[in-house]
């Protein structure tokens, strides 16, 4: 779906908030030194973020982990659960804490940093893992191995992940929906309003 469709979906108020947040986030980027890329897509500017939150809440998790959380706009909005946001960029984590630290715990770690994630989550554990937009930087074989390691360490039950339409520019890898089944059954697949991605819910298998 086109950018115009996303604008219509957001409504006038959402567009105004989007533009205001972009300005604020650019200021945060200058102050904290994180990649300005994070400032380009506030929650109100990207319909897929709202879709991820809706899918996550429908699963009613007790605790959710988002890997690659950036400024924390997705994980901080998932209600009625413990929330943990991790990002590999140590400069964006303080900004996420500044914005949403009252709702969510943010720490510096990536998908491969299993020991760090396990230590932070601790006895609470987590049953839902969210990873969107960034996983396409990794080949599927590498990504799948790392997800399995984290699944076993934290006893995860569900995964929300997106796939990008083949041929879409700007992504190093275009994972196929069929590849997701190597992690477990795909329970739901939602074509996003952005027309670029499909968002999937996967039941993670521990083996």
């Amino acid at each position: 779906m086109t950018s115009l469709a996303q604008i219509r979906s957001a409504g006038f108020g959402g567009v105004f908030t989007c533009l205001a947040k972009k300005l604020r986030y650019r200021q945060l980027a200058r102050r904290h030194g994180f990649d300005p890329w994070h400032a380009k897509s506030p929650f109100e500017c990207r319909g897929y973020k709202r879709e991820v939150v809706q899918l996550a809440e429908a699963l009613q998790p007790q605790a959710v982990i988002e890997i690659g959380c950036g400024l924390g706009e997705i994980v901080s909005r998932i209600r009625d659960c413990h929330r943990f946001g991790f990002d590999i960029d140590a400069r964006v984590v303080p900004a996420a804490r500044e914005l949403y630290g009252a709702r969510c715990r943010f720490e510096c770690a990536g998908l491969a940093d299993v020991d760090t994630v396990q230590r932070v989550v601790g006895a609470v554990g987590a049953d839902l893992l969210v990873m969107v937009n960034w996983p396409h930087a990794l080949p599927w074989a590498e990504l799948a191995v790392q997800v399995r390691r984290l699944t076993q360490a934290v006893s995860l039950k569900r995964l929300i992940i997106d796939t990008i339409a083949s041929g879409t520019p700007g992504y190093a890898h275009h994972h196929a929906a069929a590849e997701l089944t190597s992690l477990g059954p795909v329970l739901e697949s939602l074509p996003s309003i952005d027309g670029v991605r499909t968002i999937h819910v996967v039941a993670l298998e521990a083996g």
Side-chain angles (χ1 to χ4, degrees), residues 150-164:
L150 186 60
T151 296
Q152 293 172 352
V154 190
S155 299
L156 293 163
K157 305 300 181 187
R158 300 287 187 268
L159 166 67
I160 294 179
I161 190 170
D162 57 348
T163 53
I164 302 296

Side-chain angles (χ1 to χ4, degrees), residues 90-146:
R91 299 166 299 177
V92 81
V93 171
R97 290 171 179 162
E98 181 177 331
L99 290 168
Y100 302 112
R103 307 180 191 176
C104 182
R105 180 171 177 180
F106 295 101
E107 299 292 344
C108 181
L111 180 60
D113 300 315
V114 174
D115 291 343
T116 299
V117 174
Q118 191 175 32
R119 174 180 55 79
V120 171
V121 173
V124 173
D127 48 349
L128 175 62
L129 172 63
V130 175
M131 303 192 312
V132 291
N133 205 44
W134 70 267
H136 319 291
L138 298 178
W140 178 253
E142 178 181 347
L143 188 69
V145 167
Q146 293 183 10

Side-chain angles (χ1 to χ4, degrees), residues 22-32 34 39:
K22 281 187 177 183
L23 178 60
R24 183 186 181 191
Y25 289 178
R26 288 190 192 111
Q27 295 170 342
L28 279 175
R30 287 194 291 269
R31 180 147 50 87
H32 290 282
F34 61 80

Side-chain angles (χ1 to χ4, degrees), residues 40-94:
K40 293 181 179 179
S41 56
F43 186 86
E44 291 76 10
C45 305
R46 296 291 183 265
Y48 80 86
K49 293 186 176 182
R50 181 173 62 254
E51 293 163 344
V52 170
V53 170
Q54 291 169 346
L55 284 172
E57 290 188 341
L59 295 173
Q60 299 182 317
Q62 294 184 349
V64 57
I65 293 171
E66 183 181 9
I67 301 292
C69 68
L71 291 170
E73 291 199 300
I74 291 176
V75 67
S76 65
R77 283 176 168 79
I78 302 171
R79 296 170 295 183
D80 302 324
C81 63
H82 297 283
R83 294 166 285 193
F84 303 93
F86 297 91
D87 201 280
I88 201 167
D89 185 349
R91 299 166 299 177
V92 81
V93 171

